[in-house]
Each structure stands twice: as C-alpha cells, then as structure tokens.
Amino acid sequence: MTPLIIVTLVLLWQFVLVGYTFTLAGNAADEAVRAGTAAHPGERQAACEQAGLDKLSDAWKGGAQVNCTTGGGYVKSSVSLKVPVLFPGAVAFPFTVTGSAGAVEEAKN
C-alpha cells in the first residue's frame, strides 16, 4: 500500500508543478505586455523580455522565452516555460507551456 501512496503523491506533486508553470507563464506574459505598451517601439522587445523574466525564479527562468509583437496599435506578448520534473531547477520535460497576453499600445503625446 505504501508504494501506491507514494506514487499518488508524486503524481499529484507533478500536476501541481504543471499548473504552477501555467500560472507563471500567464503572469510573465501579463508583466511583459504591460512593460511593452509603455516602452518606445525601438525598445519594446528589450523591455518586454526584462519584465517577463523579472519575477520568474531561476528554476523557470533558465529555459524561458519571451517574445513581443506589435501590430495595429496592439501589443502581444508570449512567454514559453519548460515544465520541471518533480524538482524545479533540475530536469525539465521536453515540452513547454505558453502564456500569452495583449494590450492596446499607450498613446504618445
């Protein structure tokens, strides 16, 4: 019975990590798009990337990819994170979780 309980706990923990990675990706995309809308168009990608990675811990920051695009007065950001296997910062699964966000570009007077 003990091995079954341990396997169940390990699986539950892994599902928690997957869900947490989705939450982190969405939050990082929100932060990135907020910074991107306030930045000048030439500095937008750098501001987006910095803001998207800023609040991620080192365990998720290593394989993270942040991308911002602009079109028609609308800024979109996309953040891809790798899902860790059991322990954040160790081995990651071969797939990524993506979070995306969008906002209207701030008017420059």
Side-chain angles (χ1 to χ4, degrees), residues 17-45:
L17 283 177
V18 171
Y20 187 58
T21 304
F22 271 102
T23 302
L24 286 176
N27 184 55
D30 286 340
E31 295 288 334
V33 81
R34 276 190 208 111
T37 58
H40 294 290
E43 302 166 353
R44 184 160 290 147
Q45 179 61 32

Side-chain angles (χ1 to χ4, degrees), residues 9-102:
L9 290 175
V10 166
L11 287 174
L12 285 174
W13 175 247
Q14 188 59 55
F15 288 134
V16 166
L17 283 177
V18 171
Y20 187 58
T21 304
F22 271 102
T23 302
L24 286 176
N27 184 55
D30 286 340
E31 295 288 334
V33 81
R34 276 190 208 111
T37 58
H40 294 290
E43 302 166 353
R44 184 160 290 147
Q45 179 61 32
C48 254
E49 190 168 341
Q50 181 182 4
L53 296 175
D54 186 43
K55 294 184 180 172
L56 292 176
S57 67
D58 292 334
W60 277 272
K61 197 181 287 189
Q65 295 179 351
V66 179
N67 188 25
C68 282
T69 58
T70 305
Y74 196 69
V75 180
K76 295 179 187 177
S77 69
S78 175
V79 177
S80 297
L81 301 176
K82 293 187 178 185
V83 178
V85 177
L86 296 180
F87 301 104
V91 180
F93 282 113
F95 63 90
T96 58
V97 168
T98 302
S100 58

